[in-house]
Amino acid sequence: TDRGAGPPRSDPCRRPGRAFRSDRGTMPSVRSFLIGLGFSALCAVMAQYSVNVVHASTLAIDHMPVAAIFLFFLLLLVCHVSIRVLRRPLRLTSEELLLIYIMAFVGCAVSEMGLGCYFLPTIAAPQYYANDQNRWTEAILPHLRPWLMPRGREAIVGYFEGIPASRPIPWRAWAPALLAWTPFLLALYTVMICVPMMLRRQWVERERLLFPLAQVPIEIAREDERGIVLFRSRAMWLGFAIPFVVSAI
């Protein structure tokens, strides 16, 4: 035997009683993908409506977007309340819940600071800010590909200054540019996914990072035979009630 070998190291991300179990295997179902797709679209709509229509708080910004957490919490609450009337095969498993959260999380990132807040103004700004003083029409615009920018001065001005409610969104002015940028954006996000996958062994198995932001949805989705563990915690409901009541007042 190897005298230098110590006891096997336990995985810090695994704790007793928190292993995820799936009644249908480890592959998420089609329904979880569809729910996640709907949540992604809903997060984008909620974020833009909150910021640009009612001028309220940003819901899809920062490393822990409120929109994704709210929808995920609401979904779990609905599942927990209906646990006694639904048959077990119809319940969402932990794998499905985490897939839904990840899709909603990515939807928040793409619609706000992760892409939309910078990408859309950038491709429209050269034409909008070009004037006789900065001479961008002569110095910059001739070097840009027209098919990479929205078409029509009216559509660009409407993006920055708004359009009347009676007028439709000028999708035809934006669609060609968005389609032209799609291959690059897909390649960019593919690289962003592949880089952490390449570093996974170093981060997880050697450095044993805990990824604290990932612990939030994992803890929320943790369940046992009686359902979601979090919703049976009095401390959680007390902590939830205090800011909820204060904000409601």
Side-chain angles (χ1 to χ4, degrees), residues 217-234:
I218 292 177
E219 283 294 333
I220 295 177
R222 186 161 59 96
E223 61 178 356
D224 56 14
E225 292 77 8
R226 298 171 56 190
I228 306 297
V229 177
L230 182 68
F231 293 134
R232 300 199 304 270
S233 172
R234 295 182 179 179

Side-chain angles (χ1 to χ4, degrees), residues 70 73-74 77 236-249:
F70 170 75
F73 184 85
L74 186 63
L77 183 60
M236 188 282 295
W237 286 114
L238 177 61
F240 174 84
I242 294 175
F244 180 82
V245 172
V246 172
S247 300
I249 295 176

Side-chain angles (χ1 to χ4, degrees), residues 8-248:
R9 299 175 64 184
S10 60
D11 189 346
C13 293
R14 291 185 176 271
R15 299 177 187 173
R18 64 175 297 174
F20 290 162
R21 299 183 299 275
S22 175
D23 296 332
R24 298 182 304 277
T26 58
M27 291 298 296
S29 63
V30 176
R31 66 175 182 177
S32 62
F33 177 80
L34 294 178
I35 296 175
L37 193 63
F39 275 22
S40 299
L42 187 57
C43 285
V45 173
M46 291 170 56
Q48 299 305 318
Y49 183 82
S50 177
V51 174
N52 297 318
V53 178
V54 298
H55 304 289
S57 302
T58 54
L59 301 180
I61 201 173
D62 215 336
H63 302 289
M64 190 60 65
V66 177
I69 292 293
F70 170 75
L71 292 177
F72 187 61
F73 184 85
L74 186 63
L75 175 65
L76 289 175
L77 183 60
V78 171
C79 292
H80 182 73
V81 171
S82 61
I83 194 173
R84 296 183 178 180
V85 296
L86 295 180
R87 295 182 293 110
R88 187 173 181 81
L90 298 178
R91 289 172 51 192
L92 291 171
T93 63
S94 298
E95 291 85 357
E96 292 174 322
L97 291 173
L98 293 180
L99 174 64
I100 294 171
Y101 173 79
I102 292 172
M103 294 182 67
F105 188 92
V106 174
C108 289
V110 172
S111 64
E112 280 287 341
M113 292 190 64
L115 180 65
C117 282
Y118 301 106
F119 171 70
L120 296 178
T122 299
I123 64 176
Q127 299 182 69
Y128 178 74
Y129 290 104
N131 53 47
D132 296 335
Q133 286 73 29
N134 56 33
R135 303 179 61 184
W136 281 12
T137 306
E138 303 174 5
I140 296 179
L141 293 181
H143 303 283
L144 302 178
R145 299 292 186 267
W147 47 273
L148 291 177
M149 299 180 292
R151 302 174 181 177
R153 176 73 180 177
E154 185 178 357
I156 296 175
V157 172
Y159 172 76
F160 285 97
E161 301 179 8
I163 59 177
S166 58
R167 290 176 51 188
I169 299 176
W171 293 111
R172 291 186 178 181
W174 286 87
L178 296 178
L179 291 175
W181 280 100
T182 298
F184 169 77
L185 295 177
L186 291 177
L188 175 64
Y189 275 90
T190 300
V191 172
M192 294 170 63
I193 294 174
C194 291
V195 170
M197 293 179 63
M198 294 171 59
L199 299 175
R200 185 202 65 82
R201 183 181 298 272
Q202 174 67 24
W203 288 347
V204 177
E205 299 182 6
R206 297 178 182 177
E207 299 182 19
R208 311 189 73 79
L209 301 180
L210 297 179
F211 304 103
L213 293 180
Q215 298 301 321
V216 175
I218 292 177
E219 283 294 333
I220 295 177
R222 186 161 59 96
E223 61 178 356
D224 56 14
E225 292 77 8
R226 298 171 56 190
I228 306 297
V229 177
L230 182 68
F231 293 134
R232 300 199 304 270
S233 172
R234 295 182 179 179
M236 188 282 295
W237 286 114
L238 177 61
F240 174 84
I242 294 175
F244 180 82
V245 172
V246 172
S247 300

